[in-house]
């Protein structure tokens, strides 16, 4: 019987040539990209921010208000440029000055980054007057006044005065966390003569703007996030509805892939509920609606809030001490710990050496491989042992060709037991890889330090590269082919060929061919990686290329099949103590055989 003994030296040379071609291809596009970035830097212009009240023309949002009557007022500091509208006294525009949004027309991140713009956010406090009429502050016209870092917007309703007071810290020496916070106080006078309500309904409608290249990826990362139980507990909802009517929410936010808009209520929101709807195409990704009640004292609404418009940068989020760091979806429990305590610090340390992001990931991959090398060595040693005893297994399969499949399986397990081969040890590397893969799946598309960092032909390592554009859309693949994803798929296929040669096929009828499944897996991986962060594809390209090199080194320079064969023969002479797992498997097989015999006897009687 012909066996697959892995890759010979000629195949090894072919693999090296393939790697050289891929690396040459990548270096070519790295040079091309650096020239484009220089051109982009020359074209960027600084935007001047004015702290003044100005007139603006808007569409007729409220039929009772003429467009010319709407005013806007602006506050700004180093990080935020915030505009307020006299209609509703709301925040009508928020720009994060140090960040850029992706431009689909130029395929570059060269647009001003607005979390709020073009009326995609709309909020107000709703209550009933004594006649039962519903009043919402978003429909009232406020008069804006700027005084230094404070914007005061005042409205009158049937003799009642409603003030929204916004304060933005514009001290250039202020802490970073204070520069992303907008203090928001609501003060009323005479409202008790208008309403008898003891609480107001805060309603916030928000359309998530498309700011990143990968629409599907950014859309999946856009959701509600909120804290309760005095900031101790956190939850999120990325589905359709949220319902927290029993909890008092300390803050509610709309999370995007790298940024978040959050409102904190000092006395909390009660009876909170929300809904969200996916928007398939266009400028927006999702439509979210939130509703929660805030307390009124003596029918007057005097409450303190804080708006936060911030990048999802872990040190910044932790500095608030309000459980904001949970907004960053780095994974639960051990997975999150790996990202926070291992991958992020490792990236920052290596990046501190002054090398580009792609090579940082390259070095991270090597470090992870070195840590896992003892486990990989055991796996490849097991593979070599399986290869040595394969003739004995083939002999048993021929001898028991017409025997019961269960009996053949028992005979095979007996060979493994005598040779001292533990099949379960081969599962350990796969089990270790699962949490690492999931941690990196969370790490690459959510680590803001990688946002906008290009490498070779990937313009942003947190999004896919689309060097190869297709003239049509392929289901589950899209309208492009990611070169990093293709390269990763190729090396996974090569690795699969090298490691599947000694795989034992199941003897029972109807069981799937494991080799076929192993070859299908890399192909399905292409569909997954094609729209994922290119940093993830690059990591796994390097990881699997290193795996191949390790196999070749172990095969030709470390493991000696003659010594392994001698060790197996020595193991056979030693008395064997049956392990718990082996004993359990043997007992299960014996029980299955007994049941099979009983069933055969019953069939014969019939």
């Amino acid at each position: 019987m012909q066996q697959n003994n892995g890759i010979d030296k000629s195949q090894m040379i072919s693999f090296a040539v393939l790697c050289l071609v891929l690396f040459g291809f990548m270096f070519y596009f790295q040079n091309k990209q650096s020239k484009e970035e220089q051109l982009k830097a020359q074209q960027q212009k600084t935007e001047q921010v004015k702290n003044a009240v100005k007139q603006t023309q808007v569409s007729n949002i409220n039929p009772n208000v003429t467009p010319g009557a709407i005013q806007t007022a602006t506050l700004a500091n180093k990080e935020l440029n915030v505009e307020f509208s006299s209609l509703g006294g709301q925040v009508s525009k928020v720009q994060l000055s140090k960040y850029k949004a992706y431009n689909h027309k130029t395929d570059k991140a060269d647009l001003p980054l607005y979390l709020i713009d073009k009326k995609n956010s709309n909020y107000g406090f709703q209550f009933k007057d004594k006649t039962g009429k519903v009043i919402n502050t978003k429909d009232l016209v406020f008069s804006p006044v700027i005084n230094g870092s404070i914007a005061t917007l005042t409205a009158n309703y049937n003799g009642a005065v409603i003030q929204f007071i916004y304060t933005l810290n514009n001290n250039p020496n202020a802490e970073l966390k204070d520069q992303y916070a907008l203090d928001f106080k609501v003060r009323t006078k005479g409202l008790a003569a208008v309403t008898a309500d003891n609480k107001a309904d805060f309603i916030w409608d928000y359309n998530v703007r498309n700011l990143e290249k990968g629409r599907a990826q950014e859309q999946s990362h856009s959701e509600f996030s909120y804290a309760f139980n005095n900031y101790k507990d956190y939850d999120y909802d990325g589905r359709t509805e949220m319902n927290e009517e029993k909890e008092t929410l300390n803050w509610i936010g709309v999370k995007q892939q790298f940024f978040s808009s959050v409102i904190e209520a000092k006395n909390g929101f009660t009876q909170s509920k929300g809904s969200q709807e996916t928007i398939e195409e266009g400028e927006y990704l999702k439509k979210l609606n939130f509703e929660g009640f805030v307390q009124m004292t003596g029918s007057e609404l005097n409450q303190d809030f804080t708006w936060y418009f911030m990048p999802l940068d872990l040190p910044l989020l932790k500095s608030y001490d309000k459980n904001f760091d949970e907004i960053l979806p780095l994974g639960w429990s051990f997975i999150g710990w790996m990202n926070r305590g291992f991958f992020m610090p490792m990236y920052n340390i290596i990046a501190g050496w002054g090398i580009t992001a792609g090579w940082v990931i390259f070095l991270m991959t090597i470090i992870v491989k070195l840590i896992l090398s003892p486990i990989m060595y055991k796996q490849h040693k097991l593979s070599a042992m399986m290869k040595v005893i394969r003739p004995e297994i083939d002999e048993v399969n021929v001898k028991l060709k017409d025997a019961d499949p269960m009996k053949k399986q028992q005979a095979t397990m007996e060979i493994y037991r005598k040779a001292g081969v533990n099949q379960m040890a081969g599962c350990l590397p796969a089990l270790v890889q699962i949490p690492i893969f999931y941690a990196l799946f969370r790490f690459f598309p959510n680590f803001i330090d990688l946002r906008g960092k290009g490498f070779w032909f990937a313009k942003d390592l947190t999004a896919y590269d689309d060097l190869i554009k297709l003239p049509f859309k392929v289901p589950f693949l899209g309208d492009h082919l990611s070169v990093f994803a293709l390269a990763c798929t190729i090396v996974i296929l090569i690795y699969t060929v090298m490691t599947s040669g000694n795989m034992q096929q199941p003897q029972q009828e109807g069981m799937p061919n494991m080799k076929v499944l192993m070859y299908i897996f890399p192909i399905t991986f292409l569909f997954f990686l094609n729209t994922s962060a290119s940093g993830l594809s690059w990591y796994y390209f390097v990881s699997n290329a290193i795996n191949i090199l390790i196999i070749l080194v172990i095969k030709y320079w470390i493991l000696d099949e003659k010594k392994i064969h001698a060790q197996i023969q020595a193991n056979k002479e030693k008395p064997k103590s049956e392990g718990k797992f082996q004993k359990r498997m043997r007992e299960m097989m014996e029980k299955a055989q007994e049941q099979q015999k009983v069933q055969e006897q019953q069939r014969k009687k019939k």
Side-chain angles (χ1 to χ4, degrees), residues 102-343:
Y102 177 73
N103 187 341
H104 291 272
K105 293 180 180 179
T106 63
D107 195 27
K108 296 176 183 177
D110 56 9
L111 292 175
L113 195 150
Y114 293 103
L115 290 182
I116 297 176
D117 191 22
K118 299 179 182 178
K119 304 182 290 296
N120 69 306
S121 175
N122 192 16
Y123 63 88
F125 298 90
Q126 185 172 282
F127 51 88
K128 291 181 180 179
D129 66 13
K130 291 183 178 179
T131 66
K133 182 181 178 182
V134 175
I135 307 301
N136 196 313
T137 59
K138 69 180 182 181
D139 299 321
L140 303 179
V141 177
F142 289 69
S143 298
V145 175
I146 296 291
N147 183 10
S149 61
I150 301 174
T152 303
L153 291 97
T154 307
N156 290 277
Y157 179 74
N158 287 353
V161 177
I162 302 172
Q163 278 194 334
F164 289 173
I165 306 166
Y166 297 95
T167 305
L168 183 68
N169 192 325
N170 59 10
N171 181 352
N173 299 317
E175 288 187 63
L176 187 62
K177 67 175 185 176
D178 295 329
Q179 298 194 48
Y180 286 111
L182 176 68
D183 187 63
F184 174 35
K185 298 184 188 302
V186 180
R187 298 291 182 263
T188 65
K189 187 176 182 181
L191 195 61
V194 176
T195 180
D197 283 352
N198 59 6
K199 59 184 179 181
D201 192 0
F202 176 74
I203 298 175
W204 182 24
D205 300 326
Y206 191 98
N207 288 353
V208 178
R209 295 174 60 82
N210 184 194
L211 303 175
E212 313 299 332
K213 180 175 182 177
R215 181 183 181 87
Q217 183 172 252
E218 186 182 10
Q219 197 172 57
S220 67
H221 284 86
S222 300
E223 59 198 10
F224 278 122
S225 57
Y226 50 94
F228 52 96
N229 191 18
N230 196 25
Y231 302 93
K232 295 176 184 176
D233 295 322
Y234 169 84
D235 208 346
Y236 68 97
D237 195 294
R239 298 177 298 276
T240 53
E241 293 184 358
M242 64 159 288
N243 196 321
E244 293 289 354
E245 295 189 354
K246 295 181 180 180
E247 302 289 350
T248 298
L249 304 193
N250 304 114
W251 54 260
I252 175 75
V254 176
K255 172 200 167 295
Q256 296 177 229
Q257 188 174 354
F258 292 109
F259 305 94
S260 189
S261 302
V262 175
I263 183 168
E264 174 192 17
K266 297 301 188 290
N267 292 316
F269 296 108
T270 59
Q271 296 176 272
S272 299
K273 57 184 178 180
S275 63
Q276 54 189 299
E277 179 185 343
T278 300
I279 301 172
E280 295 303 328
E281 56 184 23
E283 186 178 357
Y284 303 107
L285 304 172
K286 275 188 177 181
K287 181 179 181 180
L288 297 100
N289 309 101
F290 171 78
E291 182 179 359
F293 287 93
V294 292
Q295 198 65 33
M296 298 174 72
T297 305
S299 295
E300 296 288 345
L301 180 56
N302 295 298
Q303 292 287 351
D304 294 346
F305 305 86
T306 303
W307 281 103
Y308 301 89
F309 304 103
M310 53 193 175
L312 296 181
D313 177 70
L314 186 60
L316 172 68
L317 298 175
K318 292 180 73 172
S319 69
Y320 290 104
D321 196 26
K322 296 179 184 293
N323 221 0
F324 285 159
D325 52 306
E326 290 290 349
I327 300 175
L328 197 57
L330 296 175
W332 295 99
S333 187
F334 178 67
I335 303 297
W337 177 87
M338 285 179 66
N339 279 321
R340 288 179 172 88
F342 181 66
F343 286 114

Side-chain angles (χ1 to χ4, degrees), residues 483-524:
V483 176
F484 272 127
L486 279 172
C488 185
T489 302
I490 290 169
V491 294
I492 293 176
L493 277 169
I494 295 172
Y495 179 73
T496 302
V497 171
M498 296 176 69
T499 56
S500 64
N502 300 304
M503 179 177 291
Q504 184 192 359
Q505 296 305 311
Q507 302 300 320
Q508 291 86 351
E509 292 182 7
M511 292 293 287
N513 188 318
M514 295 305 294
K515 283 188 180 180
V516 173
L517 290 178
M518 286 187 71
Y519 292 140
I520 290 174
F521 173 73
I523 306 301
T524 58

Side-chain angles (χ1 to χ4, degrees), residues 20-31:
L20 287 173
V21 171
L22 286 171
F23 275 89
F25 192 56
M26 292 173 178
F27 273 118
Y28 168 78
F29 283 98
Q30 182 185 25
N31 294 332

Side-chain angles (χ1 to χ4, degrees), residues 417 575-579 582:
R417 190 180 71 83
K576 294 291 179 297
S577 58
E578 194 174 33
Q582 290 173 321

Side-chain angles (χ1 to χ4, degrees), residues 47-54 73-76 81-83 146:
E47 298 180 3
Q48 299 295 325
V49 180
K50 297 179 180 179
N51 292 332
V53 178
K54 58 182 181 179
T74 303
L75 292 177
N81 182 8
V82 184
E83 183 182 272
I146 296 291

